[in-house]
Amino acid sequence: MADSQSKEASGGVLTGLMSGIVGGGIKVVDLTMTLQPDVPTIVMPPEFGQSWPFRMEEISKYDHRGPFCYWNNLSCGEHTGTHFDAPIHWVSGKDLPENATDTIPVEKFLAHACVVDCSDAAANDPDYLLTIENIEEWEAAHGKIPARSWLLMRTDWSRKADPVAYMNMADDGAHTPGPHEDLIPWLIEERDVIGFGCEAVGTDAGQAQHFNIPYPCHYHMHGNNRFGLPALTNLDALPPQGAILITPPLKIRQGSGSPTRVLALVEQ
Ligand code: MN
């Protein structure tokens, strides 16, 4: 009896979800950059290894190489375009359980999103850092961040169509906005977030290699089995609270991340 009741209840929820998607009550928003040769690729300090850019090579296009089909060979680094950062990506998360793209429990690829609009601040200061105080102000207006949510930093940075402007490299590294080093441990300990997402090429600020702990978002998030979601776009189409993100990376054995088609469900 209890079983059939709970089945009926869950069937009702899914039926309601689908009628919302088909009927327009729930909008599906694409938060993904298009993979193409000039999609931004992170650049590490020159003494470190570098990620391959995205490349696509035609195998055939209904021609002598294959008269029936069009298809391509692809190559890129795991961390190319809009992508998912798994905990195993960082040394702080290397020994954690279920820390790679093939072992993370799949239900973690569905989570609520909180979107903090930093677009004005980032327009005025490319090195803008999101602080605990900023989040407390945001919570006063929009409510507390629920546990197991993504914290998404909207900067409109992804609107920079020129890859040079998007990367914003100088002699001392990139100048792009990101989280303050104090914010990340707070988000984990005080709000139990599932991860941090943003519009820049990485989840850490462009200057984060110079912070007290280099790349603190990677260090703390992945060291606590949380995730990263950089190079998002269209965050301006999301409400401050209430959207649900769908973020499954490719199931690469012991993968540290992968390009990901990130979708948001938004109630109209
Ligand atoms: Mn990455």
Side-chain angles (χ1 to χ4, degrees):
M1 190 65 180
D3 269 6
S4 73
Q5 273 174 355
S6 66
K7 194 175 174 186
E8 201 173 301
S10 105
V13 169
L14 293 181
T15 302
L17 176 67
M18 274 323 295
S19 28
I21 290 170
V22 174
I26 296 171
K27 193 174 176 194
V28 184
V29 181
D30 191 354
L31 305 184
T32 319
M33 290 185 184
T34 302
L35 286 172
Q36 53 185 324
D38 66 354
V39 76
T41 305
I42 200 159
V43 177
M44 296 302 286
E47 63 270 29
F48 298 138
Q50 302 295 334
S51 178
W52 288 356
F54 180 78
R55 289 283 177 266
M56 190 162 106
E57 184 190 83
E58 211 170 82
I59 302 171
S60 73
K61 197 166 190 179
Y62 334 113
D63 53 24
H64 68 281
R65 298 168 299 174
F68 307 117
C69 58
Y70 165 60
W71 54 336
N72 302 288
N73 283 317
L74 306 179
S75 62
C76 64
E78 288 173 320
H79 298 253
T80 301
T82 305
H83 67 273
F84 187 97
D85 288 341
I88 199 174
H89 180 40
W90 219 249
V91 63
S92 53
K94 71 185 178 69
D95 297 321
L96 294 174
E98 300 174 333
N99 63 352
T101 52
D102 60 328
T103 58
I104 295 167
V106 291
E107 62 273 16
K108 292 189 173 182
F109 302 140
L110 291 158
H112 177 258
C114 293
V115 185
V116 181
D117 182 3
C118 308
S119 54
D120 288 342
N124 293 323
D125 176 11
D127 291 314
Y128 173 72
L129 300 177
L130 181 62
T131 64
I132 297 171
E133 291 70 32
N134 298 146
I135 298 296
E136 287 173 338
E137 283 168 28
W138 179 92
E139 286 189 328
H142 304 292
K144 190 173 172 180
I145 298 168
R148 200 189 173 284
S149 295
W150 287 100
L151 195 287
L152 304 182
M153 182 178 180
R154 173 188 161 195
T155 55
D156 293 344
W157 201 260
S158 62
R159 290 187 187 167
K160 295 181 191 294
D162 173 15
V164 174
Y166 179 84
M167 297 302 289
N168 207 24
M169 293 294 289
D171 289 343
D172 59 352
H175 290 269
T176 54
H180 190 280
E181 58 190 324
D182 295 340
L183 175 62
I184 299 301
W186 186 88
L187 285 174
I188 295 166
E189 289 156 24
E190 303 296 328
R191 294 297 181 267
D192 194 21
V193 299
I194 201 166
F196 183 87
C198 66
E199 295 183 55
V201 75
T203 54
D204 270 295
Q207 287 292 295
Q209 78 263 36
H210 306 303
F211 291 179
N212 290 319
I213 292 175
Y215 309 103
C217 188
H218 287 78
Y219 182 84
H220 292 297
M221 281 294 172
H222 303 327
N224 286 280
N225 229 345
R226 317 296 160 112
F227 314 130
L229 214 51
L232 295 166
T233 190
N234 295 330
L235 290 184
D236 55 308
L238 302 189
Q241 284 230 41
I244 290 178
L245 294 201
I246 306 172
T247 64
L250 297 176
K251 195 173 181 180
I252 301 166
R253 187 179 178 199
Q254 289 293 284
S256 75
S258 94
T260 299
R261 189 74 180 257
V262 177
L263 302 179
L265 303 183
V266 181
E267 268 189 273
Q268 296 296 85

